Amino acid sequence: MAFPKKVTIREVGPREGMQIEKTPVSTEDKIRLVDLLSECNFPVIEVTSFVSPKWVPQMADAELIAEGFKRNPGTEYQCIYLNSKGIERAKATGKFDLEGVLSIIASETFSRKNTNRSIEETFDEMDERIAVLRNFDIPISTIAVMTAFGCNYEGNVDPQHVVRLISRTIEKANAHGIDPDRILLGDTVGWANPVSTEYLVGQVQERWPDKTIILHLHDTRGMGMANAYVGLKMGVTHFDSSVGGLGGCPFGGSQGAAGNIATEDLVHMCHELGIETGIDLEKLLGVTREAERILGRELPSKVGKARSLASYRQIPSH
Amino acid sequence: MAFPKKVTIREVGPREGMQIEKTPVSTEDKIRLVDLLSECNFPVIEVTSFVSPKWVPQMADAELIAEGFKRNPGTEYQCIYLNSKGIERAKATGKFDLEGVLSIIASETFSRKNTNRSIEETFDEMDERIAVLRNFDIPISTIAVMTAFGCNYEGNVDPQHVVRLISRTIEKANAHGIDPDRILLGDTVGWANPVSTEYLVGQVQERWPDKTIILHLHDTRGMGMANAYVGLKMGVTHFDSSVGGLGGCPFGGSQGAAGNIATEDLVHMCHELGIETGIDLEKLLGVTREAERILGRELPSKVGKARSLASYRQIPSH
């Protein structure tokens, strides 16, 4: 398959990145980060999580962040919520483009440890989840499979198992007269490699040719960009990434490991391959520096340290 | 093309990595690094450079390193030298498997700035180079093209220009009755992307199907592993890399940028793809930690921070 002409990159750094930071980040800095990202012209930014501060204390200021950031008319602003309470909180701010996601964790152990539910229990609760989302008039657009490639507890995940989980979720949705048009494949703890990415993406494309695949890749073992390349080569048009490669894995013994693939590295690769992103890369490199200042540490992105190739092409030989 | 069954990874960290370190590294630590790498069963290790300490003061202790490290019978030990004096110094140690390399820098500006010679002057001196190598009985095995994909001074390098440089070098060698069987394509300052890698490798394979390609990739802009993947997919069997991703680019305004692709990330990807390397990855991760201790800073490799997937597969679910 050919490269897409244009891809949609969702910036998840403010949410997924900040969620695991040990250094306390001020609400003001979090707002500043979202505003700076907005100036780069992202199509989608995931801003924060409306979850219990008991579980994720870093996100206790979700309402303040929501109140503080400036909406850019070209950007969709998303947030995470787990239940009615979260939706009510997010809705009350009036700042978000709420999206309904039906999530499944492909690894039984990971599911139990991180959501306190088995896979079957997740399916059991899905009707209620759908009802709640519909009750709030939130369009159910996406099916998300986490640990879709493997997990530190259970090892490799069977791609056929993932396909079955997606299939069952679609059936559940269809029973409510809904047909989510996006499938997110999440390599939550960095188990994907280029071959397994190609295989799973291929299976999903073959089975559901009309649905949009979103690749949510982590660079835990250095294969994130190679996996993204394989996705691009297969025509995948939607990717998640975080500025600077913010984040990391708080789960399952990978503390200190790399987070999402770095947005600027992904944007840069797309531009080098002639794929549009609509994102202002040079501005984004400024955001990386600001994120490093805020967190007081170097972030793992590469283009952030090396300048873009485009910037070299603009200067005459010397 | 299919993946190779086995690849040969040359560890260049002790030479290319150390060469640009600002922190002084003791001779003892340099020797220790080589010895630890030897224990990982590398097929080839590039140990040091016999060049003038005036140009590369970090390598002034080349003789002491040579004297100090222990040869592992399964490993080939290489070093860099620029002239007869360097060869004599390297030979005198009796510790190296000297290899003759005919080097060309594809970017005219980079060539002038870094070797003080134009491309034409490099060709002019090649007969003498060949004569010197033959005089010392050093087998001329490799043609190396640096900045084969692009350079910060001149931007993208035309792949046809690279093919012509290789062709001219082969003609020069042939005129001396020599036919080097390896072609090294060096992405010296990180300009390659997966498409340009595929294109240049394809051109060289088509033109010289019987020669072995060595990919020397840098991860300056985060595409190094994607480029390596493309090389593997095309059947490339020889790669250079550095433990921890040691090194970086001392040239042309990319100070602070990433160095070679990290050996452990490359080895890990190969193993995940079912490609043998013969290298003991778990031991290598110990060497990364030791290299970080020696340099007093975190190195950019990813597997170094996250453990290998193989190590997770060995523990039962918990």
Side-chain angles (χ1 to χ4, degrees), chain A residues 196-257:
Chain A
S196 63
T197 301
E198 186 172 352
Y199 187 78
L200 184 55
V201 167
Q203 290 289 307
V204 172
Q205 284 177 332
E206 197 181 300
R207 181 81 183 260
W208 297 284
D210 296 333
K211 297 204 187 288
T212 297
I213 293 173
I214 305 170
L215 275 178
H216 179 101
L217 300 168
H218 281 237
D219 199 28
T220 323
R221 289 164 189 94
M223 292 186 282
M225 290 286 285
N227 298 338
Y229 166 72
V230 165
L232 289 168
K233 189 93 178 162
M234 296 182 81
V236 172
T237 53
H238 286 62
F239 293 86
D240 286 353
S241 59
S242 69
V243 59
L246 256 179
C249 181
F251 310 118
S254 282
Q255 283 89 352

Side-chain angles (χ1 to χ4, degrees), chain A:
Chain A
M1 215 192 253
F3 290 132
K5 193 179 163 338
K6 177 160 186 172
V7 296
T8 300
I9 294 174
R10 171 165 64 175
E11 169 58 46
V12 302
R15 200 275 308 168
E16 186 155 344
M18 288 301 159
Q19 190 165 310
I20 68 126
E21 282 299 323
K22 286 198 182 98
T23 325
V25 177
S26 73
T27 305
E28 195 189 347
D29 277 338
K30 290 179 188 168
I31 294 167
R32 186 168 160 67
L33 191 63
V34 174
D35 284 343
L36 288 171
L37 288 165
S38 290
E39 286 172 21
C40 302
N41 241 349
F42 276 94
V44 194
I45 299 174
E46 206 174 64
V47 175
T48 188
S49 291
F50 290 91
V51 294
S52 166
K54 212 170 69 188
W55 298 113
V56 188
Q58 294 93 331
M59 293 291 159
D61 56 358
E63 272 85 356
L64 294 172
I65 297 169
E67 197 183 309
F69 83 87
K70 267 199 304 282
R71 278 184 63 101
N72 167 14
T75 304
E76 208 175 288
Y77 294 89
Q78 297 181 349
C79 62
I80 296 274
Y81 49 83
L82 296 176
N83 50 31
S84 303
K85 175 126 175 71
I87 298 175
E88 279 166 5
R89 287 173 60 198
K91 277 219 151 198
T93 70
K95 295 289 280 278
F96 295 101
D97 305 283
L98 292 179
E99 202 206 3
V101 181
L102 304 179
S103 287
I104 285 282
I105 295 175
S107 152
E108 184 70 40
T109 315
F110 198 98
S111 184
R112 287 176 190 272
K113 284 192 185 259
N114 288 283
T115 67
N116 212 21
R117 282 163 187 77
S118 69
I119 292 173
E120 280 312 311
E121 283 162 348
T122 307
F123 276 117
D124 290 344
E125 291 176 10
M126 204 174 275
D127 292 311
E128 199 196 317
R129 170 86 174 171
I130 293 171
V132 167
L133 290 167
R134 300 192 74 181
N135 203 30
F136 280 101
D137 274 329
I138 299 174
I140 299 175
S141 58
T142 307
I143 291 168
V145 187
M146 313 308 188
T147 64
F149 297 88
C151 119
N152 297 356
Y153 304 117
E154 299 197 350
N156 294 83
V157 164
D158 175 5
Q160 298 315 325
H161 169 63
V162 174
V163 167
R164 282 192 299 270
L165 294 177
I166 296 168
S167 179
R168 280 183 69 183
T169 309
I170 291 175
E171 280 166 29
K172 281 270 185 198
N174 288 352
H176 290 262
I178 297 159
D179 198 22
D181 62 358
R182 294 174 176 189
I183 298 170
L184 181 145
L185 301 173
D187 185 24
T188 315
V189 281
W191 276 69
N193 66 48
V195 167
S196 63
T197 301
E198 186 172 352
Y199 187 78
L200 184 55
V201 167
Q203 290 289 307
V204 172
Q205 284 177 332
E206 197 181 300
R207 181 81 183 260
W208 297 284
D210 296 333
K211 297 204 187 288
T212 297
I213 293 173
I214 305 170
L215 275 178
H216 179 101
L217 300 168
H218 281 237
D219 199 28
T220 323
R221 289 164 189 94
M223 292 186 282
M225 290 286 285
N227 298 338
Y229 166 72
V230 165
L232 289 168
K233 189 93 178 162
M234 296 182 81
V236 172
T237 53
H238 286 62
F239 293 86
D240 286 353
S241 59
S242 69
V243 59
L246 256 179
C249 181
F251 310 118
S254 282
Q255 283 89 352
N260 297 88
I261 53 173
T263 305
E264 54 273 43
D265 291 354
L266 178 62
V267 168
H268 185 265
M269 180 165 76
C270 286
H271 292 184
E272 287 297 311
L273 299 176
I275 301 165
E276 292 169 34
T277 67
I279 294 161
D280 185 330
L281 177 59
E282 301 307 325
K283 266 194 189 159
L284 179 58
L285 297 180
V287 187
T288 307
R289 286 188 288 274
E290 184 60 20
E292 289 186 327
R293 189 199 61 74
I294 289 171
L295 297 172
R297 63 179 169 96
E298 233 181 61
L299 291 172
S301 96
K302 300 290 166 82
V303 182
K305 293 175 192 69
R307 290 176 47 193
S308 71
L309 291 178
S311 75
Y312 281 105
R313 290 194 191 95
Q314 280 160 9
I315 52 173
S317 292
H318 51 100

Side-chain angles (χ1 to χ4, degrees), chain B residues 144-156:
Chain B
V145 187
M146 314 305 188
T147 65
F149 296 89
C151 119
N152 297 356
Y153 303 117
E154 300 198 349
N156 294 83

Side-chain angles (χ1 to χ4, degrees), chain B residues 8-12 42-46 74-78:
Chain B
T8 300
I9 293 175
R10 170 164 65 175
E11 170 59 45
V12 300
F42 275 94
V44 193
I45 300 175
E46 206 175 65
T75 304
E76 207 175 288
Y77 294 89
Q78 297 180 349

